[in-house]
Structure formats: C-alpha cells, structure tokens
Amino acid sequence: MNDAAPAHTPAPRRARLRAPELVGKGGWLNTGGKDLSLAELRGRIVILDFWTFCCINCLHVLDELRELEEKHRDTVVIIGVHSPKFVHEAEHAAVVDAVERYEVHHPVLDDPELATWKQYAVRAWPTLVVIDPEGYIVAQHAGEGHAHAIARLVDELEAEHEAKGTLRRGDGPYVAPEPVATDLRFPGKALVLPGGNLLVSDSTRHQLVELAPDGESVVRRIGSGERGFTADGFSEPQGLALLPDGSVIVADTVNHALRRFDPATGAVETVAGTGRQWWQGSPTSGPALEVDLSSPWDVAWWQGKVWIAMAGVHQLWTWDPETGTVAVSAGTTSEGLHDGPAPEAWLAQPSGLAAAGDRLWIADSENSALRYVEPAGEGADGYVVRTAVGTGLFDFGHRDGDAAQALLQHPLGVTALPDGSVAVCDTYNHALRRFDPATGEVSTLATDLREPSDAVLVGEDIVVVESAAHRLTRLRLPEEAVRVDAVAHRTQRAATEVAAGTLRLDVVFQAPTGQKLDTRYGPSTRLLVSSTPPELLVGGEGTGTDLFRELALNPEVTEGVLHVSAMAASCDDDPANEYPACHVHQQDWGVPVTVTADGATRLPLVLAGMDA
C-alpha cells in the first residue's frame, strides 16, 4: 500500500492585486435588501460584470455568463456593477427595470457615480474582473467572447483553492424579486395587422402578443414564453415587419435570428440566422439559414427586401425572401457616426427602422442620432447613409430647434408620419420627438412616456409602446409641440490625461490557459484606431495586425476621443488536434482624453489578462 500523497500539478503563478471594496450610491439589487461586501464573500470566486443597460455588448455578456453562472452556482458569485453612460441610466428605477427586463439573476450594485468603476480603473463596457477566494484580482477581460476563458480560470481556481482549503461552497447571495402580473412585460415593438389588431413583441416574456384594436385586450399569445430557439420559442423578440403577403417578420434578438409568423395559421418558422452570434471573420452574406446574425433589433420592408437593424455589430443587413439570402448593406462594424457610401458608414447600435418612400429612417441609439439611408442618386450605384440629428457617441440631451444643434438621448424607435416628417421614440428622454425634413426643425410631441421604444399610426392617433410602463399608450398627434427646457449632456466618464507628442497604445491580451494565438492562416490579431475629432491624431490611425501602436497626438488639439477596436483569436494549443477549438475576443473602446503637459505617455487597454 502506498501512503504517499498523490502528485498534482502546481497552481499556476499569476499576478494578484487586492480587490477594492464595492461601493455604489444606488445600493444593491437582487439581495433581498442586504448590502454585500467582498469580505463576506471571501472563499468564493467573484466575477464583477461592469455593464450598462444601453450597451448591446453588455447584453451579449449577460447571455454568455448564464451557463457559467448555473454550472458553478455553489462556488462562483457574479455581481453586476451597473455603471451608467447616459443620464437616464443613473436613475435607480431605470436600473431596477433593466435588471428585470434582461433577467439578471445575480446581485447588482447600482453605481451611478462610477465610484467602483474608477476604483477598478475600468475603461470600457463591458468589463469582467475575476477575484479569487482570497480577495485578489487575478484577471480582467474587456468586451465579448471571454466566457470560455473565464470558465477555464474558474476550474483552475476551484482546484487551487480546494487544495489550499480556501474555497467555500454553498448558496450564493442572490434573492429573486417578487414577480409582477401585467399583460405585457417590457414590450419592444408593435405593428398594426391588416384586420386592425395590434401585434406586440413582449420581450421579457419571450412572446408575441396580439391585442384587440383597443391596445389592451389580449386576443392570443404566440410562443411558449420560455427563452429558447425552438419551433414555438423566442428569446427577447423585438422588431416586427409586415410583408406584402400578410406574414410578419420578427427580429428574434437574443436568438440572433429572423422568424416568420403567419397570423392566419399561427405558424412560426426561421428564415434567417443559425441561432449563433456573428463574430469577426464569419461570412457576411450567403444562404440566410447558414449565416450567423448578431442581435437583430428591428426590421422593415423597403425596396423589395427586409432591412435589418443589426444592433450587435453596428450595421444594417438585408434579407431577400426571393433568393433566401442575407447580406451586409451598410456599416463596417466600427461603432460611431460617419456618413457616406453605405459600405463605409459607421453606425452605433441601430435599433429602429421606418420606411418612407425613398428613405429608410434609422434610430441610431448609441449615437443618440436620427439617420437615414437613401439611394446614391442618378448615375451612382448603391446607397448612402446620412445624419439628420445627432453628432456622435458622447453628446446627448433634450434640445429642440434646428437639427444641427438638437439633441436626443438613446432613441430606440422611429415612425414615418403622413406629412413627411418623422416621429422619434426618444427613449431615455421619455419623450416622443418630431423631425421635419422640410424645415430642418426638431420638436417635442409628448413627454412623460416611460422608455418609449416604438410607435405605430392608427387612424389619426399614434400608439406608443411605453416599454417600462408595460403598456401601449394612444395619443392624438398634436398640432403644436410641447415646450421643454433644453438640456445637454456629455458622457460622465473622466477623461484620461495624456501627454502631447507620442503616446504608446498597448492592448493587453493573454491567451487563456491551454490556448495560443491562432497564426495558422496569418495574423490572428487586429487593431483599428481613429479619433474624434480626426485632427487629434496626426499619426498612428488606421488598421494593423499588432496589438500596440505609437500614436502621434496633435499638440494644438487639447481634448477628444480615441476610438480603439481590437480583436484576437486564440485556439487550443494541442499539436495532435487537427481541428482545435478557437475563440474570438473583441472589444471597442472610446477613450475620452485630455492633452496636458504632464499627462501619461502610455495608454494600456486590457482585452484579456492583467497589465504588467
């Protein structure tokens, strides 16, 4: 009999930094009213998810973490740290709504002043921070696609701290809130069916609901109500578009698919998407059922095709029912506001579409902008993207008047009106706004609407989807606008002080344990850099394959935003495996900077790992 202790692989050496305490003026949600501290979570693996509910990438990460959360429920505590971008997101009631809307089943700290964000030196939404059972930060990941890496790290930490006796198993601190009974729960979009009934996407209940013309009486529900990609299952459906044959196309957002609903038979079929999320390097056109999509948020029938607001990749795609194919039609996947030929334009989470003659109007939510697509014109092929209202990612507010200086705040819906003007569901301003192309003026039609996300015309009325009020609200289109005191805001994140001249940009990426960068078919990393205003950079902009760059800053420009987009692909490091599993890690940063004499000469952005 051998009494020797079994040999085991020594724990990997990793950088460790003591985790700061969690503080947030808004307090805690999903804990039954109890405040949490890292000290009382000692012995558990803690994953902090810095998120904000406007951010599509943050919503993707919530879905990525669901399997990990369930599998390691007795050792891992996920804590959402809600860190707002928009003023509306700093309102506690709005955070409460978002936690229910997106089915967040873990504790959430409401941090409206970004106190914990600053303590952890976070620079982007979403960011994940892993804290070991002894209270030390052992990894940080920005962006999407890190769930597999974190799962590996969790397995390592469980084994390491089980052996050390520092792992504590048991129930976590999550306490589910009491459910609320309403006919609709965070409805997203609506349309009028040919018979006069209203069809509504009941997003949090994963169903479509047909209502009588009064907008209140439920006629029927479509879908099982369970989250899933099944014959009768949706996952947070949003946009709806009526086709000429009377069927309805549904943007099945979290299933990354388009579904067709036949109101006559009640049948639902998938017409585009695979159920998987699109990643960089995946096909961008082809047979619709073979191409991945990414969070389609709205759909519209225009110019003989279904146009798709592909919020997850900041693009517009089209689905052609005649050929059964999909293709990218506008946008580069870069997030921002840039007009021009459709293939070169930049969008930012387009979330609402409305066809009106030769224009397709777009609610470009993260830009707080109203944009449109139109044919390029006589003698030219293709389409162009133009901006009617809005200036970019960081300016928002509620200001009427000339469109050049008017402001919106994260609009999700747009509706063409009979007089040629456009109604905008100005979601985070709780308002219905109007843009008149004839005069170039923006006005306010109605206020005190709770997160309006869509609107449809019914006779002389406009029916607004009040998403956070869980209802449809009928309004008579007013002849005169409502007077609102103008307010303007910029994003609240503190600017990074950098020195004029040369700035070293380092994107930190460490492949997960057991993986390496995939260089079999060329470089596996990509870095894209630009700035607002463009004059901020006099060198270093553009695309390259290294994750570092020497940037030259213009000493005559004292402030601006650096836009950085990074991607890295890693694969299993096993020479014997002919088909290793590969994963894409990607993130976009918008870093506000101020140029000062004694500012930093290096800007580190962590994609995955720890900055040494």
Side-chain angles (χ1 to χ4, degrees):
M1 183 175 177
N2 187 350
D3 293 327
H8 66 275
T9 304
R13 293 178 60 84
R14 19 179 118 76
R16 297 204 310 169
L17 179 69
R18 176 63 75 181
E21 194 48 83
L22 307 177
V23 292
K25 192 173 182 180
W28 289 88
L29 304 175
N30 284 355
T31 62
K34 179 183 178 183
D35 290 349
L36 300 182
S37 69
L38 285 179
E40 65 189 275
L41 294 173
R42 198 66 50 81
R44 312 297 290 272
I45 300 163
V46 177
I47 300 173
L48 303 182
D49 175 15
F50 289 87
W51 70 298
T52 189
F53 63 78
C54 72
C55 158
I56 190 66
N57 313 90
C58 299
L59 304 186
H60 289 167
V61 168
L62 282 175
D63 290 315
E64 288 179 5
L65 292 176
R66 292 187 198 278
E67 182 179 346
L68 177 81
E69 189 169 26
E70 185 59 38
K71 181 179 178 182
H72 297 274
R73 189 167 292 281
D74 67 333
T75 58
V76 171
V77 175
I78 296 177
I79 293 176
V81 182
H82 189 269
S83 313
K85 170 186 174 181
F86 290 101
V87 170
H88 169 58
E89 293 175 307
E91 298 171 10
H92 183 70
V95 181
V96 173
D97 283 345
V99 167
E100 181 190 351
R101 180 195 295 265
Y102 298 116
E103 298 183 309
V104 179
H105 292 164
H106 50 249
V108 173
L109 175 65
D110 181 10
D111 182 19
E113 297 177 345
L114 303 181
T116 294
W117 167 286
K118 293 170 187 171
Q119 284 282 345
Y120 281 80
V122 175
R123 294 185 183 274
W125 297 279
T127 291
L128 297 167
V129 176
V130 182
I131 301 170
D132 73 11
E134 294 177 290
Y136 289 91
I137 298 171
V138 293
Q140 181 172 325
H141 299 76
E144 303 178 49
H146 301 293
H148 72 287
I150 292 176
R152 288 190 179 205
L153 178 56
V154 165
D155 288 338
E156 293 173 12
L157 291 173
E158 284 181 345
E160 176 185 338
H161 289 274
E162 191 95 77
K164 289 174 67 175
T166 49
L167 184 71
R168 179 167 56 90
R169 296 179 181 271
D171 293 334
Y174 169 68
V175 178
E178 288 294 321
V180 182
T182 53
D183 285 332
L184 300 174
R185 207 72 195 158
F186 299 104
K189 306 287 186 181
L191 62 74
V192 181
L193 293 170
N197 284 354
L198 292 154
L199 188 67
V200 183
S201 54
D202 197 15
S203 300
T204 300
R205 296 244 173 85
H206 314 297
Q207 291 179 314
L208 308 181
V209 179
E210 185 175 344
L211 302 175
D214 63 8
E216 296 180 5
S217 305
V218 175
V219 175
R220 61 172 164 168
R221 294 182 175 275
I222 300 96
S224 66
E226 295 294 324
R227 175 191 294 272
F229 192 38
T230 60
D232 64 345
F234 301 97
S235 286
E236 298 179 30
Q238 285 284 341
L240 306 167
L242 189 66
L243 298 190
D245 65 3
S247 65
V248 175
I249 294 298
V250 183
D252 195 1
T253 304
V254 176
N255 279 331
H256 310 295
L258 297 189
R259 318 292 289 278
R260 190 206 302 261
F261 165 62
D262 184 345
T265 65
V268 175
E269 65 172 330
T270 302
V271 296
T274 63
R276 297 183 301 270
Q277 184 184 337
W278 185 94
W279 289 98
Q280 289 285 355
S282 300
T284 55
S285 63
L289 292 171
E290 299 175 14
V291 177
D292 299 339
L293 308 182
S294 183
S295 296
W297 206 275
D298 202 7
V299 281
W301 177 254
W302 186 61
Q303 303 247 327
K305 296 179 181 178
V306 171
W307 287 67
I308 310 163
M310 203 72 78
V313 284
H314 318 299
Q315 292 180 312
L316 302 183
W317 288 39
T318 50
W319 171 64
D320 186 340
E322 289 292 320
T323 62
T325 57
V326 292
V328 174
S329 294
T332 66
T333 75
S334 293
E335 183 180 16
L337 192 152
H338 177 70
D339 289 344
E344 302 169 17
W346 289 19
L347 301 160
Q349 213 169 300
S351 300
L353 299 174
D358 61 357
R359 284 187 179 178
L360 179 70
W361 293 98
I362 310 163
D364 202 21
S365 64
E366 278 294 285
N367 276 325
S368 295
L370 174 65
R371 319 277 296 277
Y372 60 92
V373 180
E374 64 181 0
E378 189 174 342
D381 294 328
Y383 298 90
V384 293
V385 175
R386 306 190 196 281
T387 300
V389 183
T391 58
L393 288 166
F394 300 99
D395 292 290
F396 53 90
H398 192 147
R399 188 161 63 199
D400 290 331
D402 181 69
Q405 56 84 54
L407 293 172
L408 308 168
Q409 186 180 181
H410 198 79
L412 291 178
V414 60
T415 307
L417 299 180
D419 64 357
S421 66
V422 184
V424 180
C425 286
D426 193 5
T427 309
Y428 287 3
N429 280 328
H430 308 292
L432 188 67
R433 311 285 293 283
R434 177 177 178 264
F435 168 68
D436 187 350
T439 64
E441 292 286 311
V442 175
S443 56
T444 298
L445 298 177
T447 58
D448 299 321
L449 299 166
R450 286 194 63 191
E451 293 192 18
S453 55
D454 197 21
V456 293
L457 293 171
V458 180
E460 295 183 355
D461 297 338
I462 188 165
V463 174
V464 179
V465 179
E466 271 195 277
S467 190
H470 319 294
R471 68 190 179 203
L472 304 188
T473 298
R474 187 181 296 262
L475 305 172
R476 179 58 54 93
L477 276 172
E479 294 183 8
E480 293 187 4
V482 178
R483 180 171 178 79
V484 175
D485 292 332
V487 291
H489 301 288
R490 284 185 65 80
T491 186
Q492 296 300 300
R493 285 181 295 161
T496 298
E497 294 189 355
V498 295
T502 301
L503 176 68
R504 165 84 178 202
L505 170 66
D506 283 319
V507 174
V508 178
F509 177 75
Q510 296 158 6
T513 303
Q515 294 200 331
K516 65 177 182 179
L517 288 173
D518 177 25
T519 57
R520 292 170 299 164
Y521 308 108
S524 62
T525 55
R526 188 190 70 166
L527 181 63
L528 172 65
V529 180
S530 62
S531 66
T532 303
E535 297 77 25
L536 174 64
L537 284 177
V538 293
E541 68 273 19
T543 304
T545 57
D546 292 323
L547 292 181
F548 60 88
R549 188 81 57 87
E550 298 285 341
L551 307 181
L553 299 181
N554 186 345
E556 297 180 5
V557 179
T558 59
E559 64 177 12
V561 178
L562 292 175
H563 304 283
V564 180
S565 177
M567 183 274 288
S570 62
C571 295
D572 291 341
D573 187 10
D574 181 2
N577 186 354
E578 188 177 354
Y579 303 103
C582 297
H583 303 273
V584 176
H585 317 254
Q586 64 185 47
Q587 172 62 4
D588 297 328
W589 291 267
V591 183
V593 296
T594 302
V595 181
T596 63
D598 56 352
T601 57
R602 176 177 179 264
L603 176 62
L605 299 175
V606 177
L607 179 60
M610 297 278 283
D611 179 27

